[in-house]
């Protein structure tokens, strides 16, 4: 609504390119930096600890506000989660990180209850902004979340992580069987998504039309790029499908893709 001008930085499986980010920060004076450091949507990327520390150093040097969207943090497949940028900023005594997260990814998708941790002045402004949008998050939803997290929440998280890990492995196995060699895709360490790159010049939108004919769908990657690009990218999600349906879906997607490649 305020007509912002977006500055974008390429991101991969280890988060944003910090060299290009530093150049962008020096060349411009952005109002704030928004990022998803853990299992980014749509790429599934995970910033290593050293990259998080370096990004925070860059932010502190310029007094830059960082908005950390951490909705997928608990969905890790390894032995431990990484510290958030907010936690690192607290250790460094820097008040410039605004922490966002949600219960919808770890309790139930229909419970759209999120939360923010930030400096009190930021909370005040965010409260005023929210009141201008929807006045208040439904109390019933908040009560449900409160009751659900009171008992057995750590055990639930462990179960969710195990389920998603198995789903991710099943999708990667299916992709390994069905995808042509020209296709690249990520191997997520957590979260809900696999990010795929088609050969240059091949349109994910065209593939989508072919895939629909096979009764399977995905999210084309183009809309995720704030300033355009990404026409040959797409996002797959393993969050809701069981193994059999996932394998069949990947088989159909592979058939559609091979058909499209044969036409090129």
């Amino acid at each position: 609504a305020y007509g912002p001008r977006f500055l974008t930085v390429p991101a991969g499986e280890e988060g944003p390119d910090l060299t290009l980010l530093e150049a962008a920060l020096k060349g411009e004076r952005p109002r704030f930096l928004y990022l998803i450091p853990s299992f980014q949507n749509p790429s599934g990327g995970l910033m290593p600890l050293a990259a998080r520390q370096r990004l925070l150093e860059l932010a502190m040097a310029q007094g830059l506000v960082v908005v950390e969207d951490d909705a997928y943090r608990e969905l890790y497949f390894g032995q431990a989660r990484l510290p958030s940028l907010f936690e690192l900023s607290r250790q460094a005594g820097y008040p410039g990180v605004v922490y966002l997260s949600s219960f919808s990814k770890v309790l139930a998708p229909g419970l759209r209850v999120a939360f923010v941790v930030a400096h009190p002045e930021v909370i005040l402004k965010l409260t005023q902004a929210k009141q201008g949008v929807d006045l208040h998050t439904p109390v019933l939803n908040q009560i449900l979340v409160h009751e659900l997290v009171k008992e057995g929440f750590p055990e639930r998280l462990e179960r969710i992580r195990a389920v998603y890990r198995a789903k991710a492995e099943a999708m990667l196995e299916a992709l390994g069987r069905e995808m042509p060699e020209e296709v690249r895709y990520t191997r997520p360490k957590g979260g809900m998504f696999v990010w795929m790159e088609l050969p240059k010049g091949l349109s994910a939108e065209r593939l989508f039309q072919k895939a629909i004919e096979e009764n399977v769908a995905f999210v084309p990657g183009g809309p995720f790029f704030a300033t355009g690009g990404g026409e040959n990218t797409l996002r797959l999600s393993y969050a809701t499908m069981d193994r059999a349906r996932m394998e069949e879906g990947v088989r159909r997607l592979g058939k559609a893709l091979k058909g499209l490649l044969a036409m090129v």
Side-chain angles (χ1 to χ4, degrees):
Y2 286 88
R5 181 169 61 89
F6 294 102
L7 302 174
T8 63
V9 175
E13 292 195 61
E14 294 192 346
D17 185 317
L18 296 184
T19 300
L20 294 179
L21 174 61
E22 184 175 9
L25 294 180
K26 289 181 177 178
E28 306 274 357
R29 296 295 299 178
R31 301 299 296 272
F32 66 92
L33 169 66
Y34 169 88
L35 78 164
I36 307 175
S38 296
F39 317 121
Q40 195 253 6
N41 181 4
S43 73
L46 175 65
M47 286 187 71
L49 177 58
R52 294 170 187 240
Q53 294 169 330
R54 177 57 181 154
L55 185 145
L56 187 61
E57 290 173 0
L58 295 175
M60 293 173 64
Q62 297 212 16
L64 178 68
V65 173
V66 177
V67 178
E68 179 181 19
D69 187 347
D70 215 16
Y72 306 96
R73 181 190 183 195
E74 295 291 348
L75 304 179
Y76 57 88
F77 300 158
Q79 298 302 311
R81 64 185 181 185
L82 291 173
S84 66
L85 292 170
F86 180 79
E87 290 170 328
L88 295 173
S89 71
R90 290 282 297 270
Q91 295 170 12
Y94 182 60
V97 177
V98 178
Y99 184 83
L100 311 178
S101 193
S102 170
F103 290 103
S104 69
K105 311 303 180 186
V106 293
L107 283 179
L111 284 175
R112 312 305 284 188
V113 177
F115 61 92
V116 57
V117 186
H119 190 280
E121 291 184 19
V122 175
I123 296 294
L124 176 62
K125 292 298 183 181
L126 289 175
T127 301
Q128 293 172 348
K130 182 174 174 57
Q131 288 173 341
V133 176
D134 63 5
L135 290 182
H136 197 275
T137 301
V139 175
L140 176 60
N141 291 8
Q142 296 181 69
I143 292 173
L144 287 171
V145 168
H146 177 67
E147 292 299 321
L148 287 169
V149 301
K150 278 200 306 186
E151 296 183 9
F153 190 49
E155 292 78 8
R156 176 180 177 81
L157 290 176
E158 289 181 9
R159 186 166 65 252
I160 290 173
R161 284 192 283 266
V163 168
Y164 279 7
R165 184 187 303 113
K167 287 175 177 285
E169 290 171 354
M171 175 168 278
L172 292 174
E173 289 174 7
L175 289 170
R177 290 193 305 269
E178 303 293 343
M179 288 299 114
E181 292 183 359
E182 304 97 312
V183 173
R184 297 175 55 202
Y185 52 87
T186 59
R187 299 181 181 278
K189 299 177 181 177
M192 299 178 169
F193 311 112
V194 171
W195 183 244
M196 181 178 291
E197 292 186 19
L198 304 176
K200 292 293 184 182
L202 202 61
S203 166
E205 292 286 351
R206 285 189 64 195
L207 176 59
F208 184 82
Q209 297 303 321
K210 296 284 290 183
I212 289 297
E213 295 174 7
E214 299 292 336
N215 199 28
V216 65
F218 57 82
V219 179
F224 290 107
F225 290 76
T227 56
E231 290 83 2
N232 68 320
T233 63
L234 57 107
R235 189 193 74 181
L236 303 176
S237 175
Y238 46 80
T240 60
M241 296 291 169
D242 59 34
R243 175 179 284 269
R245 294 184 68 200
M246 196 181 312
E247 290 177 346
E248 177 61 17
V250 172
R251 186 193 67 79
R252 296 183 186 188
L253 179 61
K255 179 181 177 183
L257 179 54
K258 291 168 187 174
L260 187 60
L261 286 169
M263 298 168 57
V264 176

PDB file of all heavy atoms in Angstrom, residues 113-131:
ATOM      1  N   VAL A 113      -2.556 -18.587  14.459  1.00  0.00           N
ATOM      2  CA  VAL A 113      -2.141 -17.796  15.615  1.00  0.00           C
ATOM      3  C   VAL A 113      -0.635 -17.629  15.540  1.00  0.00           C
ATOM      4  O   VAL A 113       0.105 -18.616  15.596  1.00  0.00           O
ATOM      5  CB  VAL A 113      -2.539 -18.468  16.938  1.00  0.00           C
ATOM      6  CG1 VAL A 113      -2.029 -17.643  18.120  1.00  0.00           C
ATOM      7  CG2 VAL A 113      -4.049 -18.627  17.021  1.00  0.00           C
ATOM      8  N   ALA A 114      -0.201 -16.408  15.403  1.00  0.00           N
ATOM      9  CA  ALA A 114       1.222 -16.111  15.303  1.00  0.00           C
ATOM     10  C   ALA A 114       1.639 -15.250  16.490  1.00  0.00           C
ATOM     11  O   ALA A 114       0.808 -14.828  17.297  1.00  0.00           O
ATOM     12  CB  ALA A 114       1.520 -15.399  13.984  1.00  0.00           C
ATOM     13  N   PHE A 115       2.939 -14.972  16.578  1.00  0.00           N
ATOM     14  CA  PHE A 115       3.422 -14.118  17.653  1.00  0.00           C
ATOM     15  C   PHE A 115       4.659 -13.368  17.207  1.00  0.00           C
ATOM     16  O   PHE A 115       5.317 -13.741  16.232  1.00  0.00           O
ATOM     17  CB  PHE A 115       3.694 -14.915  18.933  1.00  0.00           C
ATOM     18  CG  PHE A 115       4.735 -15.991  18.787  1.00  0.00           C
ATOM     19  CD1 PHE A 115       6.069 -15.744  19.061  1.00  0.00           C
ATOM     20  CD2 PHE A 115       4.373 -17.268  18.376  1.00  0.00           C
ATOM     21  CE1 PHE A 115       7.028 -16.740  18.937  1.00  0.00           C
ATOM     22  CE2 PHE A 115       5.322 -18.273  18.258  1.00  0.00           C
ATOM     23  CZ  PHE A 115       6.645 -18.013  18.537  1.00  0.00           C
ATOM     24  N   VAL A 116       4.954 -12.307  17.920  1.00  0.00           N
ATOM     25  CA  VAL A 116       6.117 -11.474  17.618  1.00  0.00           C
ATOM     26  C   VAL A 116       6.830 -11.150  18.918  1.00  0.00           C
ATOM     27  O   VAL A 116       6.199 -10.964  19.959  1.00  0.00           O
ATOM     28  CB  VAL A 116       5.705 -10.184  16.874  1.00  0.00           C
ATOM     29  CG1 VAL A 116       4.680  -9.384  17.673  1.00  0.00           C
ATOM     30  CG2 VAL A 116       6.911  -9.313  16.558  1.00  0.00           C
ATOM     31  N   VAL A 117       8.162 -11.137  18.866  1.00  0.00           N
ATOM     32  CA  VAL A 117       8.994 -10.731  19.998  1.00  0.00           C
ATOM     33  C   VAL A 117       9.878  -9.596  19.502  1.00  0.00           C
ATOM     34  O   VAL A 117      10.608  -9.763  18.522  1.00  0.00           O
ATOM     35  CB  VAL A 117       9.859 -11.898  20.521  1.00  0.00           C
ATOM     36  CG1 VAL A 117      10.593 -11.478  21.789  1.00  0.00           C
ATOM     37  CG2 VAL A 117       9.012 -13.132  20.782  1.00  0.00           C
ATOM     38  N   ALA A 118       9.801  -8.450  20.164  1.00  0.00           N
ATOM     39  CA  ALA A 118      10.550  -7.291  19.679  1.00  0.00           C
ATOM     40  C   ALA A 118      10.652  -6.246  20.788  1.00  0.00           C
ATOM     41  O   ALA A 118      10.082  -6.399  21.882  1.00  0.00           O
ATOM     42  CB  ALA A 118       9.865  -6.691  18.444  1.00  0.00           C
ATOM     43  N   HIS A 119      11.359  -5.174  20.494  1.00  0.00           N
ATOM     44  CA  HIS A 119      11.479  -4.044  21.408  1.00  0.00           C
ATOM     45  C   HIS A 119      10.072  -3.504  21.711  1.00  0.00           C
ATOM     46  O   HIS A 119       9.205  -3.479  20.821  1.00  0.00           O
ATOM     47  CB  HIS A 119      12.342  -2.960  20.765  1.00  0.00           C
ATOM     48  CG  HIS A 119      12.723  -1.859  21.690  1.00  0.00           C
ATOM     49  ND1 HIS A 119      11.870  -0.828  22.006  1.00  0.00           N
ATOM     50  CD2 HIS A 119      13.874  -1.629  22.391  1.00  0.00           C
ATOM     51  CE1 HIS A 119      12.471   0.001  22.841  1.00  0.00           C
ATOM     52  NE2 HIS A 119      13.685  -0.465  23.090  1.00  0.00           N
ATOM     53  N   PRO A 120       9.804  -3.059  22.942  1.00  0.00           N
ATOM     54  CA  PRO A 120       8.465  -2.577  23.292  1.00  0.00           C
ATOM     55  C   PRO A 120       7.908  -1.502  22.356  1.00  0.00           C
ATOM     56  O   PRO A 120       6.708  -1.477  22.079  1.00  0.00           O
ATOM     57  CB  PRO A 120       8.654  -2.027  24.712  1.00  0.00           C
ATOM     58  CG  PRO A 120       9.769  -2.841  25.278  1.00  0.00           C
ATOM     59  CD  PRO A 120      10.691  -3.099  24.122  1.00  0.00           C
ATOM     60  N   GLU A 121       8.759  -0.613  21.850  1.00  0.00           N
ATOM     61  CA  GLU A 121       8.266   0.426  20.945  1.00  0.00           C
ATOM     62  C   GLU A 121       7.784  -0.182  19.633  1.00  0.00           C
ATOM     63  O   GLU A 121       6.808   0.291  19.039  1.00  0.00           O
ATOM     64  CB  GLU A 121       9.370   1.462  20.691  1.00  0.00           C
ATOM     65  CG  GLU A 121       9.712   2.304  21.910  1.00  0.00           C
ATOM     66  CD  GLU A 121      10.727   3.382  21.584  1.00  0.00           C
ATOM     67  OE1 GLU A 121      10.881   3.709  20.388  1.00  0.00           O
ATOM     68  OE2 GLU A 121      11.370   3.889  22.517  1.00  0.00           O
ATOM     69  N   VAL A 122       8.467  -1.240  19.187  1.00  0.00           N
ATOM     70  CA  VAL A 122       8.042  -1.923  17.966  1.00  0.00           C
ATOM     71  C   VAL A 122       6.700  -2.623  18.199  1.00  0.00           C
ATOM     72  O   VAL A 122       5.798  -2.561  17.353  1.00  0.00           O
ATOM     73  CB  VAL A 122       9.103  -2.938  17.515  1.00  0.00           C
ATOM     74  CG1 VAL A 122       8.618  -3.733  16.308  1.00  0.00           C
ATOM     75  CG2 VAL A 122      10.408  -2.228  17.192  1.00  0.00           C
ATOM     76  N   ILE A 123       6.567  -3.285  19.344  1.00  0.00           N
ATOM     77  CA  ILE A 123       5.317  -3.969  19.674  1.00  0.00           C
ATOM     78  C   ILE A 123       4.154  -2.981  19.670  1.00  0.00           C
ATOM     79  O   ILE A 123       3.056  -3.275  19.160  1.00  0.00           O
ATOM     80  CB  ILE A 123       5.424  -4.663  21.042  1.00  0.00           C
ATOM     81  CG1 ILE A 123       6.490  -5.775  21.006  1.00  0.00           C
ATOM     82  CG2 ILE A 123       4.071  -5.228  21.473  1.00  0.00           C
ATOM     83  CD1 ILE A 123       6.135  -6.939  20.107  1.00  0.00           C
ATOM     84  N   LEU A 124       4.347  -1.800  20.223  1.00  0.00           N
ATOM     85  CA  LEU A 124       3.300  -0.789  20.257  1.00  0.00           C
ATOM     86  C   LEU A 124       2.851  -0.412  18.847  1.00  0.00           C
ATOM     87  O   LEU A 124       1.644  -0.361  18.556  1.00  0.00           O
ATOM     88  CB  LEU A 124       3.792   0.460  21.003  1.00  0.00           C
ATOM     89  CG  LEU A 124       2.825   1.656  21.024  1.00  0.00           C
ATOM     90  CD1 LEU A 124       1.532   1.277  21.747  1.00  0.00           C
ATOM     91  CD2 LEU A 124       3.483   2.858  21.687  1.00  0.00           C
ATOM     92  N   LYS A 125       3.804  -0.174  17.959  1.00  0.00           N
ATOM     93  CA  LYS A 125       3.458   0.199  16.583  1.00  0.00           C
ATOM     94  C   LYS A 125       2.781  -0.956  15.847  1.00  0.00           C
ATOM     95  O   LYS A 125       1.842  -0.757  15.082  1.00  0.00           O
ATOM     96  CB  LYS A 125       4.711   0.644  15.836  1.00  0.00           C
ATOM     97  CG  LYS A 125       5.301   1.951  16.333  1.00  0.00           C
ATOM     98  CD  LYS A 125       4.324   3.106  16.152  1.00  0.00           C
ATOM     99  CE  LYS A 125       4.949   4.426  16.573  1.00  0.00           C
ATOM    100  NZ  LYS A 125       3.971   5.544  16.419  1.00  0.00           N
ATOM    101  N   LEU A 126       3.261  -2.179  16.071  1.00  0.00           N
ATOM    102  CA  LEU A 126       2.644  -3.335  15.424  1.00  0.00           C
ATOM    103  C   LEU A 126       1.217  -3.550  15.929  1.00  0.00           C
ATOM    104  O   LEU A 126       0.327  -3.934  15.162  1.00  0.00           O
ATOM    105  CB  LEU A 126       3.484  -4.580  15.675  1.00  0.00           C
ATOM    106  CG  LEU A 126       4.825  -4.651  14.948  1.00  0.00           C
ATOM    107  CD1 LEU A 126       5.610  -5.880  15.390  1.00  0.00           C
ATOM    108  CD2 LEU A 126       4.627  -4.678  13.442  1.00  0.00           C
ATOM    109  N   THR A 127       0.995  -3.305  17.218  1.00  0.00           N
ATOM    110  CA  THR A 127      -0.358  -3.423  17.775  1.00  0.00           C
ATOM    111  C   THR A 127      -1.295  -2.428  17.105  1.00  0.00           C
ATOM    112  O   THR A 127      -2.433  -2.770  16.734  1.00  0.00           O
ATOM    113  CB  THR A 127      -0.331  -3.182  19.292  1.00  0.00           C
ATOM    114  OG1 THR A 127       0.529  -4.138  19.907  1.00  0.00           O
ATOM    115  CG2 THR A 127      -1.726  -3.317  19.888  1.00  0.00           C
ATOM    116  N   GLN A 128      -0.837  -1.204  16.926  1.00  0.00           N
ATOM    117  CA  GLN A 128      -1.658  -0.191  16.265  1.00  0.00           C
ATOM    118  C   GLN A 128      -1.952  -0.585  14.818  1.00  0.00           C
ATOM    119  O   GLN A 128      -3.085  -0.431  14.338  1.00  0.00           O
ATOM    120  CB  GLN A 128      -0.948   1.160  16.321  1.00  0.00           C
ATOM    121  CG  GLN A 128      -0.824   1.719  17.732  1.00  0.00           C
ATOM    122  CD  GLN A 128       0.053   2.945  17.800  1.00  0.00           C
ATOM    123  OE1 GLN A 128       0.764   3.285  16.835  1.00  0.00           O
ATOM    124  NE2 GLN A 128       0.037   3.635  18.934  1.00  0.00           N
ATOM    125  N   ALA A 129      -0.942  -1.127  14.126  1.00  0.00           N
ATOM    126  CA  ALA A 129      -1.140  -1.547  12.738  1.00  0.00           C
ATOM    127  C   ALA A 129      -2.132  -2.692  12.648  1.00  0.00           C
ATOM    128  O   ALA A 129      -3.002  -2.723  11.772  1.00  0.00           O
ATOM    129  CB  ALA A 129       0.197  -1.948  12.120  1.00  0.00           C
ATOM    130  N   LYS A 130      -2.027  -3.648  13.574  1.00  0.00           N
ATOM    131  CA  LYS A 130      -2.943  -4.796  13.566  1.00  0.00           C
ATOM    132  C   LYS A 130      -4.374  -4.351  13.845  1.00  0.00           C
ATOM    133  O   LYS A 130      -5.320  -4.861  13.229  1.00  0.00           O
ATOM    134  CB  LYS A 130      -2.497  -5.832  14.597  1.00  0.00           C
ATOM    135  CG  LYS A 130      -3.371  -7.087  14.625  1.00  0.00           C
ATOM    136  CD  LYS A 130      -2.810  -8.141  15.547  1.00  0.00           C
ATOM    137  CE  LYS A 130      -3.742  -9.336  15.686  1.00  0.00           C
ATOM    138  NZ  LYS A 130      -4.069  -9.980  14.398  1.00  0.00           N
ATOM    139  N   GLN A 131      -4.545  -3.412  14.739  1.00  0.00           N
ATOM    140  CA  GLN A 131      -5.886  -2.932  15.043  1.00  0.00           C
ATOM    141  C   GLN A 131      -6.541  -2.295  13.822  1.00  0.00           C
ATOM    142  O   GLN A 131      -7.768  -2.301  13.701  1.00  0.00           O
ATOM    143  CB  GLN A 131      -5.827  -1.937  16.201  1.00  0.00           C
ATOM    144  CG  GLN A 131      -5.529  -2.589  17.543  1.00  0.00           C
ATOM    145  CD  GLN A 131      -5.310  -1.580  18.655  1.00  0.00           C
ATOM    146  OE1 GLN A 131      -5.037  -0.406  18.403  1.00  0.00           O
ATOM    147  NE2 GLN A 131      -5.413  -2.034  19.899  1.00  0.00           N
TER     148      GLN A 131
END
